[in-house]
Amino acid sequence: MTDATVAEVVAELAVLEDPKARRVNEKHGDDHGVNLGKLRAIAKRLKTQQELARRLWATDDSAARLLAILICRPKAFDRDELDAMVREARTPKVHDWLVNYVVKKSPHSEELRLAWFADPDPVVASAGWALTTERVAKTPEGLDLAGLLDIIEAEMKDAPDRLQWAMNHCLAQIGIEHAEHRARAIDIGERLEVLKDYPTPPNCTSPFAPIWIDEMVRRQQVG
């Protein structure tokens, strides 16, 4: 894959840059203005291209990195590469996509979960918590759920925003998926009041853990 191809893709992304979309994204800490539907259309056309994905990531451009995530082969990255990428992922959208679309599909995901969980960088630690939340929902065997609730109870209230959000998601997931811990999870959420006043659009579920847990459990029972 030649550098010219990378240049062509970056130029195509630049044409799609929309100042209005950038202003909206910047409110969430992101620094690109490319419509994600159009980005996905480019990814569909390019298909999987691991070497191009690596080169696009190396540009340090957020739109190019989002595209790289969509066209990469998640299992082709080694552990150290993924560790470096998470530390380089400057913006929330790039970080979230990297963790959800790449790291979760990697054979190194559990090793990285353990390495990142208590990382001194709160954004890296949030990736560890996101991987833990995935296990809470899908493969909880071997996890100390009561111990996770202890950490959340002690640390979530004062955690930096992105780490707090990830811990709150884990709290809610424990309450949703594990009935034996549900009352304690709701109690922790009610006492800490994290995201209690988060503005939630109509027809969306509040991220406030007690409301989130109750709503998802209700849906499971109806279903």
Side-chain angles (χ1 to χ4, degrees), residues 8-53:
E8 287 164 11
V9 173
V10 170
E12 186 174 358
L13 292 171
V15 170
L16 295 175
E17 176 76 20
D18 176 359
K20 196 179 293 184
R22 176 179 279 270
R23 283 196 296 274
V24 172
N25 289 335
E26 283 176 346
K27 291 178 182 175
H28 304 288
D30 293 308
D31 61 356
H32 73 91
V34 178
N35 176 280
L36 296 182
K38 293 177 180 177
L39 191 82
R40 290 181 187 278
I42 296 174
K44 193 173 180 182
R45 190 187 77 228
L46 292 173
K47 300 186 171 65
T48 302
Q49 296 192 46
Q50 179 66 11
E51 187 54 34
L52 178 58

Side-chain angles (χ1 to χ4, degrees), residues 46-178:
L46 292 173
K47 300 186 171 65
T48 302
Q49 296 192 46
Q50 179 66 11
E51 187 54 34
L52 178 58
R54 280 195 169 102
R55 289 171 178 259
L56 287 171
W57 182 271
T59 65
D60 195 29
D61 175 81
S62 289
R65 285 184 162 182
L66 291 171
L67 182 60
I69 289 164
L70 294 177
I71 67 169
C72 76
R73 190 176 292 109
K75 292 179 181 177
F77 294 108
D78 65 34
R79 179 214 178 280
D80 290 345
E81 254 184 310
L82 291 173
D83 182 70
M85 289 167 76
V86 160
R87 295 175 192 282
E88 293 163 1
R90 296 175 291 99
T91 64
K93 183 66 72 178
V94 172
H95 174 90
D96 290 346
W97 278 25
L98 180 63
V99 172
N100 286 299
Y101 297 168
V102 182
V103 180
K104 284 182 181 179
K105 297 176 183 177
S106 165
H108 308 292
S109 62
E110 179 62 11
E111 185 184 351
L112 289 168
R113 181 186 78 82
L114 294 169
W116 291 339
F117 187 76
D119 195 277
D121 181 333
V123 175
V124 176
S126 76
W129 277 90
L131 295 173
T132 301
T133 301
E134 178 88 346
R135 278 205 53 195
V136 166
K138 296 183 177 177
T139 54
E141 299 77 17
L143 284 180
D144 178 6
L145 298 179
L148 288 173
L149 290 175
D150 289 343
I151 297 170
I152 291 167
E153 187 171 22
E155 299 178 13
M156 181 172 75
K157 181 83 171 177
D158 299 317
D161 286 354
R162 282 159 72 180
L163 178 55
Q164 185 184 69
W165 188 274
M167 293 173 91
N168 183 71
H169 189 179
C170 191
L171 173 66
Q173 206 68 54
I174 291 171
I176 292 162
E177 301 290 344
H178 301 280

